[in-house]
Amino acid sequence: MTNYISTAIAGLSLAIGVAAALPAAAQDLPSNLRIVIGSTSTGGDTYQNSSIIADALAAELGINIKVDAVGPAEGFKALGRDSSGSTMMIFHDHAYLGELYGVRGFDNIFEDYRVGPTVSINPGNAYAVPKNSPYQSMDDIFQAAADGTRVRVAIQPGGVSEIGFSAMKNAASVLNPGSEANIVAMNTGSQSDKDQLLFDGQADVINASIQSNEQYTQLPADDQKAMRFVWLTAREATIQGANPEGMGAMTRDDMLKYVSPTTSVTLDGSEDFTFDKEFFFIYNKDMDPALVEAIDTGLAAVFDKGDVQNTLKASFFIPNFLPSAEAQAHLSEKRATYEKVISAIGSE
Amino acid sequence: MDLLSDLTPLFFFLTIAGTFVGIIFGAIPGMTATMAVAVCLPLTYSLGLINGMALLLGLYVGGISGGLVPAVLLNIPGTPSSITTTFDGYPMAQRGEGERALKLGIAASLFGGMFSLLILYLFAPALADFAIKFSYVEKFLIIFLALTVMAALSGNMLIGIFSGVLGMLISLIGAYDVSDGGNGEYRLMFPFMEYYLDSGFSLLPVLIGLFGLSAILIEAEQGVPEDSSLSKMEISRSTPFRWTDFGGQFINLFRSASIGTFVGLLPGVGGSAASVLSYSQAKTFSKTPEQFGRGNPSGVIASETANNGLTGGALIPLLSLGIPGDSTTAILIGAFTLQGIQVGPLFIGQNVETWNMMIIAMLVANIAMFVIMFYAIRNICKVVTVPKHLLFPVILMMCVVGSYTINYGIMFDVWTLLIFGLVGYLFHRIGLEVAPFIIGFILGPSAEVYFVKSLESYGNLTIFFTKSWIAVVLWLLIMGSIWLSVFVARKARA
């Protein structure tokens, strides 16, 4: 009996010791944390990214984290209901672009929620044309619009897919005022819908991604499915952060040909428009600041160890940890830039 | 040699275990193959791609197949693609042929799965090229063709059409989703409903409310004696299953498997459309169409062959184009992504080993599904011997849990279940039809998107008639289906 008691006391002491060793802030976190994401897909980049971060963070903090793919509307509702810190959200720039484009269910995340740390970037946002398209570059597209040719761009409205389209219209407006009217949106849904519009000849340009469409660029030009990238929206520095082998047959050097400054989509005649699809945390506005600090500290420790960077890079994400305060300033600045673009051309 | 080294005991274990768990998911109302695959997706991190795929493909095949069991025994489709199985499976069970209906369905499922697997293996790239000939226009016409079955499913054609159109209308409640290319505007609801219904009613809670909860309410109204059970439906030895039951069903099997595979390879059209189309075509070409809906084995065979035919079909665009054919294969893409594997038009050529292992996993899963279900069916049938006053609360609990979990814990989905349970009960009282209603509800959103996008892309209505030879063929099938419905209705009246 005495042995049992001794063992129990030893175990308890060990548990107390381990708990004491944890960062003070981590102890404030609930032991079961739910991360809702702004996508209903468990096959997409938001889920993949969130899973990688959640696994690393759970191991670092010694808590359970579950990622639920509930979509933006239900995600924001869940976040709004829970200020205890048991529910957090991971989403990307769509979170504020949806609001800028006036999509229902999207509020100003900087006012109605609390923006948390950024964790990574998906550098793959791209625009593609059929391989036998007359448009060899973005310059050709802007010239065609200036010459009065209608250029149809397949996008999913209201978010990441549309911001590049808005940038194209804005650039056309800067380069040849009035020509932006010839760049028109073909609003559609998923990537397969956009691809299908290209296959059907109902779109001249589609919003695409390196991950989904790179293999199509390897097909011979006489294949109905063959595509060619004309623009990657990411910053040059972002692409420089990718592994040299890139993705598929497209090396990092190949990618750099499609980003600014080599490929230019002007913002205002002097500077190029760029867009990185960044993933970041969003919290309930009233969540305890100690918990914000705990997540910042936990993520800093995760990124200090360096393993998560390798995992992210292997999945073609660019690690990009910024603590909450820096992330808020950075994303707020991005939002302001894109707000100007959208209001300059008006959303379609 | 690489292939042989991958064929480890763990590979077979995971495939078979996945199939078994998938069957359980499929058999529980409100839980689906998609949910089973989603739940197990994170395991692929640790299992690696090939073993992870073995598990997920087993779950996929098992999940699609398991929906047969409650559809036949309880008149509750375990999955949306089992709806048409209830039409004849449950009447067969009511007249004491439950085991026969289940075994017919299981064998038909095996045929559908194997047929689509063969097509997948032999013709995947070529069929993917054919699939991209189907634009919004052709996809709308396929949905339209599936919708024509609404008229034929009811005792009264006009009531059937009315119920179906009502289902379509209710399916459009909520936002015209921007993620489908819509304008995001809310329709068909009052402002106070917007918080709950911005995404509309979820399909699964509606489905199990209409089929499961309403049946319990109807039984409750009639009173449930303590010693009652459904055991009279159990295994009647008067009409046992015989393999000769498939005599004369070869065309039905082949046609249904082809439809299932074909619909599977069209991204976005969905598994429910496969079984509905297959059922309607079986009825159209039957010499006794009036027997459908009254326990005709051909109906069970058509439905189950098609929904398992979907499994191989949906993998065709996934592995040949990188485009998922249905909601479950959309999650399978995640398994590839998690392993850093690109899926696109070059996938098969660049990943021959993975491709071969996936084919083997599908083969093993289909065989395992057949063995597990066929030989366990007598035990599974015993569920109907449980007294109703014990069985119904368990079903109700499963319905509530399934509704709550289907979208990761949204309480309004439970309310949806209860609301549509009452709607189903009211339909029963006033004579409206649940089956055409749910088909309209399932197909309505796709019909809307494809119709609107066709007009946006091509600008006028004539495109539906002039787009391609495929459109002409589809119109002929639509006219044939409508003609048959009118013919059967007139014959029944006479």
Side-chain angles (χ1 to χ4, degrees):
Chain A
M1 187 66 178
T2 312
N3 282 345
Y4 287 128
I5 292 170
S6 304
T7 308
I9 291 170
L12 191 61
S13 307
L14 182 66
I16 291 168
V18 169
L22 284 172
Q27 293 178 56
D28 298 329
L29 282 166
S31 55
N32 292 307
L33 174 61
R34 183 190 191 207
I35 291 182
V36 292
I37 63 169
S39 166
T40 54
S41 167
T42 50
D45 58 352
T46 310
Y47 183 83
Q48 189 186 7
N49 209 306
S50 305
S51 293
I52 293 170
I53 296 298
D55 286 350
L57 194 60
E60 175 63 31
L61 299 177
I63 60 174
N64 300 311
I65 302 182
K66 183 173 185 294
V67 179
D68 282 340
V70 300
E74 293 302 330
F76 281 122
K77 282 181 204 170
L79 204 57
R81 281 195 297 265
D82 183 4
S83 62
S84 72
S86 309
T87 306
M88 299 176 185
M89 188 177 195
I90 293 183
F91 202 9
H92 52 72
D93 300 77
H94 193 136
Y96 62 83
L97 289 173
E99 178 246 329
L100 291 178
Y101 282 114
V103 180
R104 283 180 186 260
F106 285 82
D107 300 315
N108 185 331
I109 56 168
F110 298 93
E111 291 175 1
D112 299 323
Y113 302 91
R114 178 192 281 261
V115 172
T118 60
V119 287
S120 64
I121 297 170
N122 177 352
N125 189 41
Y127 286 81
V129 296
K131 208 161 200 174
N132 55 11
S133 164
Y135 307 130
Q136 298 296 322
S137 64
M138 290 306 293
D139 290 342
D140 289 348
I141 290 170
F142 295 130
Q143 189 57 51
D147 294 343
T149 304
R150 194 164 169 262
V151 181
R152 301 161 301 172
V153 186
I155 57 165
Q156 187 180 56
V160 168
S161 183
E162 186 166 359
I163 190 63
F165 166 76
S166 298
M168 279 189 218
K169 282 185 78 90
N170 178 60
S173 163
V174 171
L175 295 169
N176 296 287
S179 69
E180 71 274 13
N182 292 324
I183 296 181
V184 294
M186 302 292 288
N187 286 342
T188 185
S190 63
Q191 189 59 56
S192 65
D193 292 331
K194 289 178 254 182
D195 295 347
Q196 185 67 48
L197 283 178
L198 204 71
F199 302 151
D200 291 342
Q202 293 301 309
D204 304 300
V205 183
I206 59 166
N207 174 236
S209 72
I210 295 175
Q211 294 91 328
S212 297
N213 298 85
E214 186 276 329
Q215 288 197 350
Y216 288 91
T217 66
Q218 297 184 50
L219 298 174
D222 60 351
D223 191 315
Q224 187 186 358
K225 307 184 292 294
M227 299 177 190
R228 178 157 45 75
F229 290 122
V230 286
W231 181 33
L232 303 185
T233 63
R235 290 175 302 128
E236 185 183 31
T238 302
I239 297 293
Q240 293 283 13
N243 287 329
E245 61 272 24
M247 169 154 276
M250 196 176 192
T251 64
R252 183 173 65 193
D253 288 343
D254 292 332
M255 293 174 195
L256 288 168
K257 294 173 193 161
Y258 299 107
V259 299
S260 172
T262 312
T263 293
S264 171
V265 174
T266 189
L267 179 66
D268 52 13
S270 59
E271 194 182 337
D272 282 339
F273 172 94
T274 56
F275 172 75
D276 282 338
K277 184 179 181 183
E278 288 183 81
F279 295 88
F280 54 91
F281 278 76
I282 306 174
Y283 306 128
N284 182 293
K285 190 179 172 68
D286 300 321
M287 194 173 88
D288 185 349
L291 301 184
V292 177
E293 178 62 29
I295 296 293
D296 274 358
T297 308
L299 282 174
V302 164
F303 277 84
D304 279 347
K305 286 179 182 164
D307 293 342
V308 77
Q309 283 92 323
N310 295 332
T311 311
L312 287 167
K313 279 190 163 188
S315 301
F316 198 55
F317 293 114
I318 310 298
N320 180 43
F321 170 61
L322 291 177
S324 294
E326 285 178 54
Q328 278 173 27
H330 166 65
L331 292 169
S332 184
E333 190 181 337
K334 272 179 90 175
R335 180 186 177 278
T337 303
Y338 302 142
E339 186 175 24
K340 280 182 200 159
V341 171
I342 293 166
S343 42
I345 52 104
S347 65
E348 294 211 350
Chain B
M1 282 308 284
D2 283 346
L3 189 70
L4 289 177
S5 64
D6 286 330
L7 291 173
T8 59
L10 180 64
F11 173 85
F12 289 103
F13 171 77
L14 288 169
T15 310
I16 295 167
T19 308
F20 180 73
V21 173
I23 291 168
I24 293 171
F25 265 79
I28 296 175
M31 297 198 177
T32 61
T34 309
M35 189 190 279
V37 174
V39 165
C40 294
L41 180 66
L43 295 177
T44 56
Y45 267 130
S46 52
L47 290 173
L49 183 62
I50 288 175
N51 286 333
M53 270 295 153
L55 175 69
L56 298 184
L57 290 172
L59 289 164
Y60 183 30
V61 171
I64 293 285
S65 309
L68 160 76
V69 177
V72 169
L73 295 180
L74 304 171
N75 201 29
I76 304 171
T79 60
S81 56
S82 309
I83 289 169
T84 44
T85 307
T86 63
F87 298 164
D88 290 284
Y90 188 64
M92 284 181 75
Q94 280 183 307
R95 65 173 186 240
E97 297 175 21
E99 182 188 0
R100 182 177 173 225
L102 286 168
K103 286 190 170 177
L104 281 171
I106 295 162
S109 295
L110 178 68
F111 181 85
M114 290 299 196
F115 178 90
S116 68
L117 182 59
L118 190 67
I119 299 294
L120 168 70
Y121 189 63
L122 296 178
F123 305 114
L127 281 174
D129 281 348
F130 179 60
I132 65 169
K133 309 280 183 213
F134 285 72
S135 67
Y136 286 131
V137 173
E138 287 85 1
K139 286 181 182 173
F140 170 74
L141 292 176
I142 286 173
I143 295 291
F144 190 21
L145 174 59
L147 284 169
T148 59
V149 78
M150 293 189 314
L153 285 177
S154 178
N156 183 314
M157 191 169 72
L158 283 178
I159 288 177
I161 293 172
F162 176 79
S163 304
V165 171
L166 186 63
M168 290 178 73
L169 191 71
I170 289 178
S171 75
L172 300 181
I173 288 175
Y176 180 25
D177 200 344
V178 289
S179 65
D180 291 326
N183 58 11
E185 292 302 315
Y186 292 149
R187 298 90 53 89
L188 303 169
M189 61 179 172
F190 299 106
F192 75 90
M193 300 157 77
E194 289 175 359
Y195 180 82
Y196 303 101
L197 281 171
D198 51 0
S199 304
F201 290 107
S202 290
L203 169 60
L204 259 297
V206 170
L207 179 69
I208 54 184
L210 284 172
F211 280 86
L213 185 58
S214 68
I216 292 173
L217 291 175
I218 291 164
E219 291 271 358
E221 184 188 36
Q222 292 165 353
V224 183
E226 272 193 25
D227 61 346
S228 77
S229 73
L230 309 175
S231 56
K232 69 181 175 62
M233 293 165 34
E234 207 210 348
I235 311 154
S236 167
R237 293 182 187 281
S238 60
T239 49
F241 167 82
R242 290 191 182 88
W243 285 104
T244 50
D245 286 343
F246 282 98
Q249 295 287 349
F250 179 74
I251 293 174
N252 187 14
L253 281 166
F254 186 78
R255 181 183 52 234
S256 303
S258 303
I259 289 172
T261 307
F262 169 69
V263 171
L265 71 90
L266 297 178
V269 176
S272 309
S275 49
V276 169
L277 269 175
S278 174
Y279 186 85
S280 70
Q281 294 311 300
K283 187 172 180 178
T284 300
F285 290 104
S286 169
K287 289 175 186 165
T288 54
E290 69 280 0
Q291 293 300 316
F292 276 73
R294 297 177 184 172
N296 189 338
S298 299
V300 176
I301 291 169
S303 175
E304 286 303 312
T305 308
N307 63 30
N308 275 67
L310 187 87
T311 53
L315 288 171
I316 291 173
L318 175 74
L319 301 176
S320 302
L321 298 172
I323 296 169
D326 65 1
S327 55
T328 315
T329 49
I331 300 172
L332 290 182
I333 272 204
F336 288 107
T337 314
L338 290 174
Q339 301 288 336
I341 304 278
Q342 262 185 297
V343 189
L346 306 177
F347 170 80
I348 295 174
Q350 291 179 352
N351 299 276
V352 176
E353 188 184 343
T354 306
W355 159 252
N356 285 329
M357 293 304 291
M358 288 181 73
I359 296 292
I360 293 171
M362 288 286 284
L363 182 69
V364 173
N366 273 288
I367 294 168
M369 176 277 296
F370 177 78
V371 172
I372 292 169
M373 292 185 73
F374 197 85
Y375 292 102
I377 213 66
R378 289 190 70 84
N379 293 321
I380 294 172
C381 279
K382 285 179 183 163
V383 70
V384 294
T385 65
V386 177
K388 286 180 182 177
H389 72 277
L390 297 176
L391 182 64
F392 285 170
V394 173
I395 293 174
L396 188 59
M397 184 195 70
M398 289 194 303
C399 290
V400 170
V401 171
S403 298
Y404 185 69
T405 52
I406 192 71
N407 290 313
Y408 305 100
I410 293 173
M411 193 57 203
F412 184 71
D413 286 341
V414 177
W415 291 110
T416 301
L417 166 80
L418 299 177
I419 290 166
F420 281 88
L422 288 171
V423 167
Y425 170 77
L426 285 175
F427 273 26
H428 173 75
R429 294 299 300 264
I430 63 178
L432 291 180
E433 298 280 345
V434 166
F437 177 90
I438 195 67
I439 288 171
F441 185 88
I442 290 172
L443 300 178
S446 302
E448 180 195 40
V449 169
Y450 293 142
F451 182 75
V452 171
K453 291 297 160 192
S454 296
L455 290 181
E456 284 179 4
S457 295
Y458 296 95
N460 61 66
L461 286 167
T462 58
I463 194 67
F464 291 106
F465 302 94
T466 58
K467 168 75 171 49
S468 63
W469 64 266
I470 298 169
V472 175
V473 171
L474 288 168
W475 273 114
L476 290 174
L477 290 171
I478 290 165
M479 300 311 287
S481 183
I482 292 172
W483 176 83
L484 177 89
S485 299
V486 173
F487 173 77
V488 171
R490 284 189 175 168
K491 197 174 162 188
R493 215 181 324 168

